[in-house]
Coordinates of all heavy atoms in Angstrom, one line a residue:
P1 N 10.5 -4.8 12.1 CA 9.9 -4.3 13.4 C 8.9 -5.3 13.9 O 8.5 -6.2 13.3 CB 9.2 -3.1 12.9 CG 9.3 -3.0 11.5 CD 10.2 -4.1 11.0
Q2 N 8.7 -5.2 15.2 CA 7.7 -6.1 15.8 C 6.6 -5.3 16.5 O 6.7 -4.2 17.0 CB 8.4 -6.9 16.9 CG 9.4 -7.9 16.3 CD 9.9 -8.9 17.3 OE1 9.6 -8.8 18.5 NE2 10.5 -9.9 16.9
A3 N 5.4 -5.9 16.4 CA 4.2 -5.4 17.0 C 4.2 -5.7 18.4 O 5.0 -6.6 18.9 CB 3.0 -5.9 16.3
P4 N 3.3 -5.1 19.2 CA 3.2 -5.5 20.6 C 3.0 -7.0 20.7 O 2.3 -7.7 19.9 CB 1.9 -4.8 21.1 CG 1.9 -3.6 20.2 CD 2.4 -4.1 18.9
G5 N 3.6 -7.7 21.7 CA 3.5 -9.1 21.9 C 4.6 -9.8 21.1 O 4.5 -11.1 21.0
G6 N 5.5 -9.1 20.5 CA 6.6 -9.8 19.8 C 6.3 -10.3 18.4 O 7.0 -11.1 17.8
V7 N 5.2 -9.9 17.8 CA 4.8 -10.4 16.5 C 5.5 -9.5 15.5 O 5.5 -8.3 15.5 CB 3.2 -10.2 16.3 CG1 2.8 -10.7 14.9 CG2 2.5 -11.1 17.3
E8 N 6.1 -10.2 14.5 CA 6.8 -9.5 13.4 C 5.8 -8.7 12.5 O 4.7 -9.1 12.4 CB 7.6 -10.4 12.6 CG 8.8 -11.0 13.3 CD 9.7 -11.8 12.4 OE1 9.4 -11.9 11.2 OE2 10.7 -12.4 12.9
Q9 N 6.3 -7.6 12.0 CA 5.5 -6.8 11.1 C 6.1 -6.8 9.7 O 7.3 -7.0 9.6 CB 5.3 -5.4 11.6 CG 4.5 -5.3 12.9 CD 4.2 -3.9 13.3 OE1 5.2 -3.1 13.5 NE2 3.0 -3.5 13.4
A10 N 5.2 -6.5 8.7 CA 5.7 -6.5 7.3 C 5.8 -5.1 6.8 O 5.2 -4.2 7.2 CB 4.6 -7.3 6.5
L11 N 6.7 -5.0 5.8 CA 6.9 -3.8 5.0 C 6.4 -4.1 3.6 O 6.9 -5.0 3.0 CB 8.3 -3.4 5.0 CG 8.7 -2.3 4.0 CD1 8.1 -1.0 4.3 CD2 10.2 -2.1 3.9
G12 N 5.4 -3.4 3.1 CA 4.9 -3.5 1.7 C 5.6 -2.5 0.8 O 5.6 -1.3 1.2
I13 N 6.0 -2.9 -0.3 CA 6.6 -2.0 -1.3 C 5.9 -2.2 -2.6 O 6.0 -3.3 -3.2 CB 8.1 -2.2 -1.4 CG1 8.8 -2.0 -0.1 CG2 8.7 -1.3 -2.5 CD1 10.3 -2.3 -0.1
F14 N 5.3 -1.2 -3.1 CA 4.6 -1.2 -4.4 C 5.3 -0.3 -5.4 O 5.3 1.0 -5.2 CB 3.1 -0.8 -4.3 CG 2.4 -1.8 -3.5 CD1 2.3 -1.7 -2.1 CD2 1.7 -2.9 -4.1 CE1 1.6 -2.7 -1.3 CE2 1.0 -3.8 -3.3 CZ 0.9 -3.7 -2.0
D15 N 5.9 -0.8 -6.5 CA 6.5 0.0 -7.5 C 5.5 0.5 -8.5 O 4.9 -0.3 -9.2 CB 7.6 -0.9 -8.2 CG 8.4 -0.1 -9.2 OD1 8.0 1.1 -9.6 OD2 9.4 -0.6 -9.7
L16 N 5.2 1.8 -8.4 CA 4.1 2.3 -9.2 C 4.6 3.2 -10.4 O 3.8 4.0 -11.0 CB 3.2 3.1 -8.3 CG 2.5 2.3 -7.2 CD1 1.8 3.2 -6.2 CD2 1.5 1.3 -7.8
R17 N 5.9 3.1 -10.7 CA 6.5 3.9 -11.7 C 5.8 3.8 -13.1 O 5.7 4.8 -13.8 CB 8.0 3.7 -11.9 CG 8.8 4.2 -10.7 CD 10.2 3.8 -10.8 NE 10.4 2.4 -10.5 CZ 11.5 1.8 -10.6 NH1 12.6 2.4 -11.0 NH2 11.6 0.5 -10.4
D18 N 5.3 2.7 -13.4 CA 4.7 2.5 -14.7 C 3.1 2.3 -14.6 O 2.5 1.7 -15.5 CB 5.3 1.3 -15.5 CG 6.7 1.6 -15.9 OD1 7.0 2.7 -16.2 OD2 7.5 0.6 -15.8
F19 N 2.6 2.8 -13.6 CA 1.1 2.7 -13.3 C 0.3 3.3 -14.4 O 0.6 4.5 -14.8 CB 0.8 3.3 -12.0 CG -0.7 3.2 -11.6 CD1 -1.2 2.0 -11.1 CD2 -1.5 4.2 -11.9 CE1 -2.6 1.9 -10.8 CE2 -2.9 4.1 -11.6 CZ -3.4 3.0 -11.1
S20 N -0.7 2.6 -14.8 CA -1.7 3.2 -15.8 C -3.1 2.9 -15.3 O -3.3 2.0 -14.5 CB -1.5 2.7 -17.2 OG -2.1 1.4 -17.3
P21 N -4.1 3.7 -15.7 CA -5.4 3.5 -15.3 C -5.9 2.1 -15.6 O -6.8 1.6 -14.9 CB -6.2 4.6 -16.0 CG -5.3 5.7 -16.3 CD -3.9 5.0 -16.5
L22 N -5.4 1.5 -16.6 CA -5.8 0.1 -17.0 C -5.4 -0.9 -15.9 O -6.0 -2.0 -15.9 CB -5.2 -0.3 -18.4 CG -5.6 0.6 -19.5 CD1 -4.9 0.2 -20.8 CD2 -7.1 0.5 -19.8
Q23 N -4.5 -0.5 -15.1 CA -4.0 -1.4 -14.1 C -4.7 -1.2 -12.7 O -4.5 -2.0 -11.8 CB -2.5 -1.3 -13.8 CG -1.7 -1.6 -15.0 CD -0.2 -1.1 -14.9 OE1 0.0 0.0 -14.4 NE2 0.7 -2.0 -15.2
A24 N -5.6 -0.3 -12.7 CA -6.3 0.0 -11.4 C -7.4 -1.0 -11.2 O -8.5 -0.9 -11.8 CB -6.9 1.4 -11.5
D25 N -7.2 -2.0 -10.4 CA -8.1 -3.1 -10.2 C -8.7 -3.0 -8.8 O -8.0 -3.4 -7.8 CB -7.4 -4.5 -10.4 CG -8.3 -5.6 -10.4 OD1 -9.4 -5.5 -9.8 OD2 -8.0 -6.6 -11.1
F26 N -9.9 -2.4 -8.7 CA -10.5 -2.2 -7.4 C -10.8 -3.5 -6.7 O -10.8 -3.5 -5.5 CB -11.7 -1.3 -7.6 CG -11.4 0.1 -8.1 CD1 -11.7 0.4 -9.4 CD2 -10.7 1.0 -7.3 CE1 -11.4 1.7 -9.9 CE2 -10.4 2.2 -7.8 CZ -10.7 2.6 -9.1
E27 N -11.2 -4.5 -7.4 CA -11.5 -5.8 -6.8 C -10.3 -6.4 -6.1 O -10.4 -6.9 -5.0 CB -12.1 -6.8 -7.8 CG -13.5 -6.4 -8.3 CD -14.0 -7.4 -9.3 OE1 -13.6 -8.5 -9.4 OE2 -14.9 -7.0 -10.1
V28 N -9.1 -6.4 -6.8 CA -7.9 -6.9 -6.2 C -7.5 -6.1 -5.0 O -7.1 -6.6 -3.9 CB -6.8 -6.9 -7.2 CG1 -5.4 -7.3 -6.5 CG2 -7.0 -8.0 -8.3
A29 N -7.6 -4.7 -5.1 CA -7.3 -3.9 -3.9 C -8.2 -4.2 -2.7 O -7.7 -4.3 -1.6 CB -7.4 -2.4 -4.3
A30 N -9.5 -4.3 -3.0 CA -10.4 -4.7 -1.9 C -10.1 -6.0 -1.3 O -10.2 -6.2 -0.1 CB -11.9 -4.6 -2.4
F31 N -9.7 -7.0 -2.1 CA -9.4 -8.3 -1.6 C -8.2 -8.2 -0.7 O -8.1 -8.8 0.4 CB -9.1 -9.3 -2.8 CG -8.4 -10.6 -2.3 CD1 -9.2 -11.6 -1.7 CD2 -7.1 -10.8 -2.4 CE1 -8.6 -12.7 -1.3 CE2 -6.5 -11.9 -2.0 CZ -7.3 -12.9 -1.4
L32 N -7.1 -7.5 -1.1 CA -5.9 -7.3 -0.3 C -6.2 -6.7 1.0 O -5.7 -7.1 2.1 CB -4.9 -6.5 -1.1 CG -4.2 -7.2 -2.3 CD1 -3.3 -6.3 -3.0 CD2 -3.4 -8.4 -1.8
V33 N -7.0 -5.6 1.0 CA -7.4 -4.9 2.2 C -8.1 -5.9 3.2 O -7.8 -6.0 4.3 CB -8.2 -3.7 1.9 CG1 -8.8 -3.1 3.2 CG2 -7.3 -2.6 1.2
D34 N -9.1 -6.6 2.6 CA -9.9 -7.5 3.4 C -9.0 -8.6 4.0 O -9.2 -9.0 5.2 CB -11.0 -8.2 2.5 CG -12.0 -8.9 3.3 OD1 -12.5 -8.4 4.3 OD2 -12.3 -10.1 2.9
A35 N -8.1 -9.2 3.2 CA -7.2 -10.2 3.7 C -6.3 -9.7 4.8 O -6.1 -10.4 5.8 CB -6.3 -10.8 2.6
L36 N -5.8 -8.5 4.7 CA -5.0 -7.9 5.7 C -5.7 -7.7 7.0 O -5.2 -8.0 8.1 CB -4.4 -6.6 5.3 CG -3.2 -6.6 4.3 CD1 -2.9 -5.2 3.8 CD2 -2.0 -7.3 4.8
Y37 N -7.0 -7.2 6.9 CA -7.8 -7.0 8.1 C -8.1 -8.3 8.8 O -8.0 -8.4 10.0 CB -9.1 -6.3 7.8 CG -9.0 -4.8 7.7 CD1 -9.5 -4.1 6.6 CD2 -8.4 -4.0 8.7 CE1 -9.5 -2.7 6.5 CE2 -8.4 -2.7 8.6 CZ -8.9 -2.0 7.5 OH -8.8 -0.7 7.5
K38 N -8.5 -9.3 8.0 CA -9.0 -10.6 8.6 C -7.9 -11.5 9.1 O -8.0 -12.1 10.2 CB -9.9 -11.3 7.6 CG -11.2 -10.7 7.4 CD -12.0 -11.6 6.4 CE -13.4 -11.0 6.2 NZ -14.2 -11.7 5.2
Y39 N -6.9 -11.6 8.3 CA -5.9 -12.7 8.6 C -4.6 -12.1 9.1 O -3.8 -12.9 9.7 CB -5.6 -13.5 7.3 CG -6.8 -14.1 6.8 CD1 -7.4 -13.6 5.6 CD2 -7.5 -15.2 7.4 CE1 -8.6 -14.2 5.1 CE2 -8.6 -15.7 7.0 CZ -9.2 -15.2 5.8 OH -10.4 -15.8 5.3
Y40 N -4.3 -10.9 9.0 CA -3.0 -10.3 9.4 C -3.2 -9.0 10.2 O -2.6 -8.0 9.9 CB -2.1 -10.1 8.3 CG -1.8 -11.4 7.5 CD1 -2.5 -11.6 6.3 CD2 -0.9 -12.3 7.9 CE1 -2.3 -12.8 5.6 CE2 -0.7 -13.5 7.2 CZ -1.4 -13.7 6.1 OH -1.2 -14.9 5.4
P41 N -4.1 -8.9 11.1 CA -4.4 -7.6 11.8 C -3.1 -7.2 12.5 O -2.4 -7.9 13.1 CB -5.5 -8.0 12.8 CG -5.3 -9.5 13.0 CD -4.9 -10.0 11.7
A42 N -2.8 -5.9 12.4 CA -1.7 -5.2 13.1 C -0.4 -5.8 12.6 O 0.6 -5.6 13.3 CB -1.8 -5.3 14.6
R43 N -0.3 -6.4 11.4 CA 0.9 -7.0 10.9 C 1.7 -6.1 10.0 O 2.8 -6.3 9.7 CB 0.7 -8.3 10.3 CG 0.4 -9.4 11.2 CD 1.7 -9.7 12.0 NE 1.7 -11.0 12.7 CZ 2.0 -12.2 12.3 NH1 2.3 -12.3 11.0 NH2 2.0 -13.2 13.0
T44 N 1.0 -5.1 9.4 CA 1.6 -4.2 8.4 C 2.2 -3.0 9.1 O 1.5 -2.2 9.8 CB 0.6 -3.7 7.4 OG1 0.0 -4.9 6.7 CG2 1.3 -2.9 6.3
A45 N 3.5 -2.8 9.0 CA 4.2 -1.7 9.7 C 4.2 -0.5 8.9 O 4.0 0.6 9.3 CB 5.6 -2.1 10.1
R46 N 4.4 -0.7 7.6 CA 4.5 0.5 6.6 C 4.4 0.0 5.2 O 4.7 -1.1 4.9 CB 5.9 1.1 6.8 CG 6.1 2.4 6.1 CD 7.4 3.1 6.6 NE 7.6 4.3 5.8 CZ 8.8 4.8 5.6 NH1 9.8 4.2 6.1 NH2 8.9 5.9 4.9
V47 N 3.8 0.8 4.4 CA 3.7 0.5 2.9 C 4.3 1.7 2.2 O 3.9 2.8 2.4 CB 2.2 0.3 2.5 CG1 2.1 0.1 1.1 CG2 1.6 -0.8 3.3
L48 N 5.2 1.4 1.3 CA 5.9 2.4 0.5 C 5.3 2.3 -0.9 O 5.3 1.3 -1.6 CB 7.4 2.1 0.4 CG 8.1 2.1 1.7 CD1 9.6 1.8 1.5 CD2 7.9 3.4 2.5
L49 N 4.8 3.5 -1.4 CA 4.2 3.6 -2.7 C 5.3 4.3 -3.6 O 5.4 5.5 -3.4 CB 2.9 4.3 -2.7 CG 1.8 3.7 -1.8 CD1 0.6 4.6 -1.6 CD2 1.4 2.3 -2.3
V50 N 6.1 3.6 -4.3 CA 7.3 4.1 -5.0 C 6.9 4.7 -6.3 O 6.4 4.0 -7.2 CB 8.3 3.0 -5.1 CG1 9.6 3.6 -5.7 CG2 8.6 2.4 -3.8
G51 N 7.3 5.9 -6.5 CA 7.3 6.6 -7.8 C 5.9 6.7 -8.4 O 5.7 6.6 -9.6
A52 N 4.9 6.9 -7.6 CA 3.5 7.0 -8.0 C 3.2 8.2 -8.9 O 3.5 9.3 -8.5 CB 2.5 7.0 -6.8
P53 N 2.8 8.0 -10.1 CA 2.5 9.1 -11.0 C 1.2 9.8 -10.5 O 0.4 9.3 -9.7 CB 2.3 8.5 -12.4 CG 1.8 7.1 -12.1 CD 2.5 6.7 -10.8
D54 N 0.9 11.0 -11.0 CA -0.3 11.8 -10.7 C -1.5 11.0 -10.9 O -2.5 11.1 -10.2 CB -0.3 13.1 -11.4 CG 0.8 14.0 -10.9 OD1 1.2 13.9 -9.8 OD2 1.1 15.0 -11.7
L55 N -1.5 10.1 -12.0 CA -2.7 9.3 -12.3 C -3.1 8.4 -11.2 O -4.3 8.0 -11.0 CB -2.5 8.5 -13.6 CG -2.4 9.2 -14.9 CD1 -1.9 8.3 -16.0 CD2 -3.8 9.7 -15.2
F56 N -2.1 8.0 -10.4 CA -2.4 7.1 -9.3 C -3.3 7.7 -8.2 O -4.0 7.0 -7.5 CB -1.1 6.5 -8.7 CG -1.3 5.6 -7.6 CD1 -1.7 4.2 -7.9 CD2 -1.2 5.9 -6.3 CE1 -1.9 3.3 -6.8 CE2 -1.4 5.0 -5.2 CZ -1.8 3.7 -5.5
R57 N -3.2 9.0 -8.1 CA -3.9 9.7 -7.0 C -5.4 9.5 -7.0 O -6.0 9.3 -6.0 CB -3.6 11.2 -7.1 CG -2.2 11.6 -7.0 CD -1.6 11.4 -5.6 NE -0.2 11.7 -5.7 CZ 0.6 11.8 -4.6 NH1 0.0 11.6 -3.4 NH2 1.9 12.0 -4.7
G58 N -6.0 9.4 -8.2 CA -7.4 9.1 -8.3 C -7.7 7.7 -7.8 O -8.7 7.5 -7.0
F59 N -6.9 6.8 -8.1 CA -7.1 5.4 -7.6 C -6.9 5.4 -6.1 O -7.7 4.8 -5.4 CB -6.1 4.5 -8.3 CG -6.2 3.0 -7.8 CD1 -7.2 2.2 -8.2 CD2 -5.2 2.5 -7.0 CE1 -7.3 0.9 -7.8 CE2 -5.2 1.2 -6.6 CZ -6.3 0.4 -7.0
W60 N -5.9 6.1 -5.6 CA -5.6 6.1 -4.2 C -6.8 6.7 -3.4 O -7.2 6.2 -2.4 CB -4.3 6.9 -3.9 CG -4.0 7.1 -2.5 CD1 -4.1 8.2 -1.8 CD2 -3.7 6.1 -1.5 NE1 -3.7 8.0 -0.5 CE2 -3.5 6.7 -0.3 CE3 -3.5 4.7 -1.6 CZ2 -3.2 6.0 0.9 CZ3 -3.2 4.0 -0.5 CH2 -3.0 4.6 0.8
N61 N -7.3 7.8 -3.9 CA -8.5 8.4 -3.3 C -9.7 7.5 -3.2 O -10.5 7.7 -2.3 CB -8.8 9.7 -4.0 CG -7.8 10.8 -3.8 OD1 -7.1 10.8 -2.8 ND2 -7.7 11.7 -4.7
T62 N -9.8 6.6 -4.1 CA -10.9 5.6 -4.0 C -10.6 4.5 -3.0 O -11.5 4.0 -2.3 CB -11.1 5.0 -5.4 OG1 -11.4 6.0 -6.3 CG2 -12.3 4.0 -5.4
V63 N -9.3 4.0 -3.0 CA -9.0 2.9 -2.1 C -8.7 3.4 -0.7 O -9.0 2.6 0.3 CB -7.7 2.2 -2.7 CG1 -7.1 1.2 -1.7 CG2 -8.0 1.6 -4.0
K64 N -8.3 4.5 -0.5 CA -7.9 5.0 0.9 C -9.0 4.9 1.9 O -8.7 4.4 3.0 CB -7.5 6.5 0.8 CG -6.8 7.0 2.0 CD -6.3 8.5 1.8 CE -5.8 9.1 3.0 NZ -5.3 10.4 2.8
P65 N -10.3 5.2 1.6 CA -11.3 5.0 2.6 C -11.5 3.5 3.0 O -11.9 3.3 4.2 CB -12.6 5.5 1.9 CG -12.1 6.5 0.9 CD -10.8 5.9 0.4
L66 N -11.2 2.6 2.2 CA -11.3 1.2 2.5 C -10.2 0.8 3.5 O -10.4 -0.2 4.3 CB -11.1 0.3 1.2 CG -12.0 0.5 0.1 CD1 -11.6 -0.3 -1.1 CD2 -13.4 0.0 0.5
L67 N -9.2 1.5 3.6 CA -8.1 1.2 4.5 C -8.2 1.6 5.9 O -7.6 1.1 6.8 CB -6.8 1.8 4.0 CG -6.3 1.3 2.6 CD1 -5.1 2.1 2.1 CD2 -6.1 -0.2 2.6
G68 N -9.2 2.6 6.1 CA -9.4 3.1 7.5 C -8.1 3.6 8.1 O -7.3 4.3 7.4
S69 N -7.7 3.2 9.3 CA -6.5 3.7 9.9 C -5.3 3.2 9.3 O -4.2 3.8 9.4 CB -6.5 3.3 11.4 OG -6.5 1.9 11.6
Y70 N -5.4 2.1 8.5 CA -4.2 1.6 7.8 C -3.7 2.6 6.7 O -2.5 2.5 6.4 CB -4.5 0.2 7.1 CG -4.5 -0.9 8.1 CD1 -5.7 -1.5 8.4 CD2 -3.3 -1.4 8.6 CE1 -5.7 -2.6 9.3 CE2 -3.3 -2.5 9.5 CZ -4.5 -3.1 9.9 OH -4.5 -4.1 10.7
A71 N -4.5 3.5 6.3 CA -4.1 4.4 5.2 C -2.9 5.3 5.7 O -2.1 5.7 4.9 CB -5.3 5.3 4.8
S72 N -2.9 5.5 7.0 CA -1.8 6.3 7.6 C -0.4 5.6 7.5 O 0.6 6.2 7.7 CB -2.1 6.7 9.0 OG -2.1 5.6 9.8
L73 N -0.4 4.3 7.2 CA 0.8 3.6 7.1 C 1.5 3.7 5.7 O 2.6 3.4 5.6 CB 0.6 2.1 7.4 CG 0.0 1.7 8.7 CD1 -0.3 0.2 8.8 CD2 0.9 2.1 9.8
A74 N 0.7 4.2 4.8 CA 1.2 4.4 3.4 C 2.0 5.7 3.2 O 1.6 6.8 3.7 CB 0.1 4.3 2.4
D75 N 3.1 5.6 2.6 CA 4.0 6.8 2.3 C 4.3 6.8 0.8 O 4.8 5.8 0.3 CB 5.3 6.7 3.1 CG 5.1 6.9 4.6 OD1 4.4 7.9 4.9 OD2 5.6 6.1 5.3
F76 N 4.1 7.9 0.2 CA 4.5 8.1 -1.2 C 6.0 8.5 -1.2 O 6.4 9.5 -0.5 CB 3.7 9.2 -1.9 CG 2.3 8.8 -2.2 CD1 1.3 8.9 -1.2 CD2 2.0 8.2 -3.4 CE1 0.0 8.5 -1.5 CE2 0.7 7.8 -3.7 CZ -0.3 8.0 -2.7
V77 N 6.8 7.7 -1.8 CA 8.3 7.9 -1.8 C 8.8 7.8 -3.3 O 8.2 7.2 -4.2 CB 9.0 6.9 -0.9 CG1 8.6 7.0 0.5 CG2 8.8 5.5 -1.4
T78 N 10.0 8.3 -3.4 CA 10.7 8.2 -4.7 C 11.7 7.0 -4.7 O 12.0 6.5 -3.6 CB 11.6 9.5 -5.0 OG1 12.6 9.6 -4.0 CG2 10.7 10.7 -5.0
V79 N 12.1 6.6 -5.9 CA 13.1 5.5 -5.9 C 14.4 5.9 -5.1 O 14.9 5.0 -4.4 CB 13.5 5.2 -7.4 CG1 14.6 4.2 -7.5 CG2 12.2 4.7 -8.2
E80 N 14.8 7.1 -5.2 CA 16.0 7.5 -4.5 C 15.8 7.4 -3.0 O 16.7 7.0 -2.3 CB 16.3 9.0 -4.8 CG 16.8 9.2 -6.3 CD 15.7 9.1 -7.3 OE1 14.5 9.4 -6.9 OE2 15.9 8.8 -8.5
E81 N 14.6 7.7 -2.5 CA 14.4 7.6 -1.0 C 14.4 6.1 -0.6 O 14.9 5.8 0.5 CB 13.0 8.2 -0.7 CG 13.0 9.7 -0.8 CD 11.6 10.3 -0.6 OE1 10.7 9.8 -1.3 OE2 11.5 11.2 0.2
V82 N 14.0 5.2 -1.4 CA 14.0 3.8 -1.1 C 15.4 3.3 -1.1 O 15.8 2.5 -0.2 CB 13.2 2.9 -2.1 CG1 13.4 1.5 -1.9 CG2 11.7 3.3 -2.0
R83 N 16.3 3.8 -2.0 CA 17.7 3.3 -2.0 C 18.5 3.8 -0.9 O 19.5 3.2 -0.5 CB 18.3 3.8 -3.3 CG 17.8 3.1 -4.5 CD 18.5 3.5 -5.8 NE 17.9 2.8 -6.9 CZ 17.9 3.2 -8.1 NH1 18.3 4.4 -8.4 NH2 17.4 2.5 -9.1
E84 N 18.0 4.9 -0.2 CA 18.7 5.4 1.0 C 18.4 4.5 2.1 O 19.0 4.2 3.0 CB 18.3 6.8 1.3 CG 18.6 7.8 0.3 CD 18.0 9.2 0.6 OE1 17.3 9.4 1.5 OE2 18.3 10.1 -0.2

């Protein structure tokens, strides 16, 4: 997809099927959000969070406020939905 002005947009896909609390790195998440805001504004079209276990919800609830309006671009999906 393209953003206004003909700029291409990105699709982010995060495979979270084996997510564990030990992998919840808030510093890396904050860095990624900061980089997207500063260097790639309006470039992310959609982010798919694939197979996220219930444990991920706590991490998501912490990261979501950092994303601001970008949080609405994230969708929790199953592997089957991605294959379609």
Side-chain angles (χ1 to χ4, degrees):
Q2 292 195 349
V7 177
E8 290 186 3
Q9 290 187 302
L11 167 66
I13 301 176
F14 294 89
D15 183 350
L16 300 168
R17 289 177 286 176
D18 294 323
F19 178 83
S20 80
L22 297 174
Q23 296 167 318
D25 191 332
F26 298 106
E27 289 180 23
V28 170
F31 169 79
L32 288 173
V33 169
D34 190 48
L36 287 174
Y37 276 132
K38 285 183 181 176
Y39 303 108
Y40 304 99
R43 285 293 193 84
T44 303
R46 189 171 177 205
V47 176
L48 302 179
L49 304 170
V50 182
D54 291 338
L55 288 171
F56 181 77
R57 301 292 175 166
F59 178 73
W60 176 248
N61 289 334
T62 302
V63 172
K64 190 175 177 179
L66 298 173
L67 299 174
S69 63
Y70 283 108
S72 66
L73 302 176
D75 291 309
F76 287 87
V77 297
T78 64
V79 172
E80 292 76 24
E81 290 173 311
V82 173
R83 288 183 179 151
E84 294 174 356

